[in-house]
Amino acid sequence: MSRYQLAKGIFFVLVTSLLLFILIYRLYSQVNKRKQELELLFTNPNLGILKLDEMGYVTYISENIRKITGYKATEIEGKHIIHFTPEEWKEIDLEELKLISGSKGNEGFTFTKRILCKNGEIIILKAYGMKVVNERLNSVHYITTFQNITDQVKFLNRLETQNKKLKDIAFEHSHVVRAPLARIMGITDLVQNHKLEQNEKKQLLSNLKSSSEELDKALKEINEKMKEV
C-alpha cells in the first residue's frame, strides 16, 4: 500500500505538471503571438501611437513616427502638438483641441491633423483617441492611435480635380459646341428648303465656313482637355 500510495502521488504530480506545462505553453504562445501582432501593427510606417498630457504636450510617441515625419521621437516628445502644425492650419487645430479638451472623461474622439515634416512636406494623420481621466490621481491625459492618410487624401483630391474637368467639358459641350452646331444646322436648312439669291447663298456659305471653323476649334479644345483627365 505504501508503494502504491507513492506511485499514485508521483503519477498525480507528473500529470499535474504536464497539464500545467501545456496550459502555460498555450498561454505563452498566445501572448507571444499577440506581441508579434502588436509589433507588426505599430512598426507599420503608416500607423502609430501618440500620448499627450492635459495641456497638449507630447509625452510619448511610437518610434515609427520618424519614418512618417523624419523627426526622431526625442525631437517630438516635450513639444506641444500645435508645434508641428503648418501655420495655415493652426487655428483650425486649436479649435479642434478645445472641443477634445472639453469632452467627457474616458470618451472617444477622432480628429484629422496635418503635420509639417522635417523635409517641409505636409502629411495628414487621422487620429482615434480617448481622454483618460484618473480621479484618484486627479490627472488627465490623452492617448491616440493615428494613421497616415496622406495618399488617400491626395487620391480623393485628384478625383475631385478630374470631376471638375469633366464638368467643364460637359459645360463646353452643351454651350460652346451647340452654338456653332445650331448655326450650321440652320444654314443647311435654309440652303436646302428655301429659294435664295446668289448673294444670299454666298453669305450663308461664308457663315457656314466660320461656324464650321468655330466648331472644329471647340472640338479640338475639348479633345485636349480629355487627354488631361
Side-chain angles (χ1 to χ4, degrees):
M1 288 297 292
S2 172
R3 289 177 181 175
Y4 172 75
Q5 290 294 337
L6 178 62
K8 187 176 73 172
I10 292 172
F11 177 75
F12 176 78
V13 170
L14 288 173
V15 171
T16 305
S17 298
L18 180 62
L19 290 173
L20 285 173
F21 173 78
I22 292 171
L23 288 172
I24 292 170
Y25 180 77
R26 285 183 177 177
L27 180 62
Y28 172 79
S29 297
Q30 290 175 359
V31 171
N32 190 51
K33 182 180 178 182
R34 185 60 177 165
K35 178 176 176 290
Q36 290 175 348
E37 289 174 350
L38 289 172
E39 285 178 351
L40 180 63
L41 176 63
F42 293 113
T43 53
N44 185 320
N46 287 321
L47 300 171
I49 298 177
L50 172 70
K51 291 182 181 179
L52 306 173
D53 65 12
E54 186 175 4
M55 302 303 295
Y57 288 88
V58 180
T59 58
Y60 170 81
I61 197 157
S62 53
E63 183 60 25
N64 59 353
I65 189 64
R66 63 186 176 81
K67 296 178 182 177
I68 302 176
T69 65
Y71 297 107
K72 295 178 181 178
T74 52
E75 292 179 293
I76 298 177
E77 292 175 1
K79 299 279 195 341
H80 197 279
I81 190 65
I82 295 296
H83 180 81
F84 302 97
T85 303
E87 195 63 37
E88 63 271 24
W89 290 93
K90 284 188 176 180
E91 189 174 340
I92 296 172
D93 272 14
L94 283 170
E95 288 298 321
E96 230 176 326
L97 288 173
K98 283 180 183 179
L99 291 174
I100 292 170
S101 64
S103 62
K104 296 178 181 178
N106 303 320
E107 187 176 82
F109 58 83
T110 62
F111 68 94
T112 302
K113 177 161 182 58
R114 284 160 178 80
I115 297 286
L116 184 63
C117 298
K118 203 167 186 176
N119 62 4
E121 180 187 357
I122 296 176
I123 61 169
I124 305 170
L125 303 179
K126 185 72 175 180
Y128 307 85
M130 177 176 286
K131 180 180 181 180
V132 181
V133 177
N134 190 323
E135 294 181 355
R136 185 172 61 85
L137 298 176
N138 194 26
S139 67
V140 175
H141 68 275
Y142 304 87
I143 181 168
T144 70
T145 59
F146 58 81
Q147 179 182 7
N148 184 1
I149 60 169
T150 308
D151 290 340
Q152 293 93 313
V153 172
K154 286 181 178 179
F155 176 72
L156 290 174
N157 288 339
R158 285 198 300 271
L159 286 181
E160 288 181 4
T161 302
Q162 288 180 338
N163 188 43
K164 184 180 183 303
K165 288 180 179 179
L166 288 172
K167 285 181 178 178
D168 290 342
I169 292 170
F171 175 82
E172 290 188 16
H173 176 268
S174 61
H175 293 79
V176 180
V177 173
R178 284 181 180 274
L181 180 61
R183 288 197 295 272
I184 290 170
M185 292 174 67
I187 292 170
T188 303
D189 179 70
L190 285 172
V191 172
Q192 287 180 340
N193 302 313
H194 297 79
K195 291 182 179 180
L196 302 171
E197 298 293 334
Q198 190 63 31
N199 61 335
E200 290 177 325
K201 287 183 179 181
K202 187 175 180 181
Q203 182 62 43
L204 287 173
L205 288 173
S206 175
N207 291 339
L208 181 63
K209 182 182 178 184
S210 61
S211 296
S212 299
E213 290 173 348
E214 185 181 343
L215 178 60
D216 182 60
K217 181 183 177 182
L219 289 173
K220 285 179 179 178
E221 289 177 356
I222 291 172
N223 186 52
E224 287 300 316
K225 289 192 175 183
M226 285 294 291
K227 290 178 181 178
E228 295 174 6
V229 176

